[in-house]
Amino acid sequence: MTVLDHIGVAVASLERRLALYRALGLEVASVEEVSSEKVRVAFLPVEGTSIELLEPTGPDSPVAAFIAKRGEGLHHLCFRVADIRGAMAQLKANGFELLTDEPARGAHGCLVCFVHPRSAGGVLVELSQPGG
Ligand code: CO
C-alpha cells in the first residue's frame, strides 16, 4: 500500500507558522536543514502521516521562488516508496515528467525526487525512499 508520508507547506517563517499547528495540539518531532532544497524543515506528526513546514534558507531557494509567485501555503504531497528508482522509471514510462533524473538526499536522509506539477495537474508530488 502506498503511504502518504507527509504534506509539505511553504512558510516564510517556521516560528510564526508553528503557532497554528501548536494550537491544534501538534508537536514538532524534528527540525533540520535540507541543503539540496535550500530549506529548513519542521516535521509535525499527525495520525498516519506528517505535516512538513518548509522555510527557505535564502532567496535562491525553490521554496522562496514558490512563495514569491504563489504566496505561502500548500506546496507538495509526498508518497513513501520502497524503491525510488523503480517508481521513477514507472512514472516516466507513464509519461510523467520528473524534476531530476536522479534522486537527491532529502530530509531524514531519505532519497527523494519530484514530479513536475505541469505533468501532474498542478500538484507537486514528492517520492521518498526511507534510509536511501
Ligand atoms: Co517533502
Side-chain angles (χ1 to χ4, degrees):
M1 191 174 76
T2 302
V3 174
L4 180 64
D5 188 82
H6 61 265
I7 298 168
V9 178
V11 302
S13 160
L14 283 183
E15 277 61 39
R16 193 179 334 133
R17 294 302 171 207
L18 279 172
L20 167 67
Y21 301 95
R22 288 191 167 128
L24 288 166
L26 277 61
E27 289 177 10
V28 175
S30 65
V31 177
E32 70 177 285
E33 193 166 325
V34 181
S35 55
S36 64
E37 291 293 317
K38 299 189 171 93
V39 287
R40 198 161 66 99
V41 300
F43 279 89
L44 298 99
V46 184
E47 184 72 43
T49 186
S50 289
I51 305 293
E52 176 189 39
L53 302 181
L54 305 111
E55 174 196 72
T57 54
D60 57 342
S61 163
V63 172
F66 176 92
I67 292 173
K69 193 173 168 191
R70 300 171 63 169
E72 293 179 280
L74 289 176
H75 184 261
H76 66 268
L77 300 180
C78 178
F79 297 100
R80 193 183 309 156
V81 296
D83 170 15
I84 194 163
R85 285 187 166 79
M88 290 169 77
Q90 191 172 338
L91 283 162
K92 275 191 204 170
N94 283 277
F96 295 100
E97 187 183 342
L98 304 177
L99 289 190
T100 56
D101 289 329
E102 285 294 318
R105 192 63 62 178
H108 303 139
C110 294
L111 284 177
V112 303
C113 77
F114 291 90
V115 181
H116 200 297
R118 78 176 155 230
S119 75
V123 179
L124 179 60
V125 173
E126 178 181 18
L127 304 179
S128 174
Q129 178 188 319

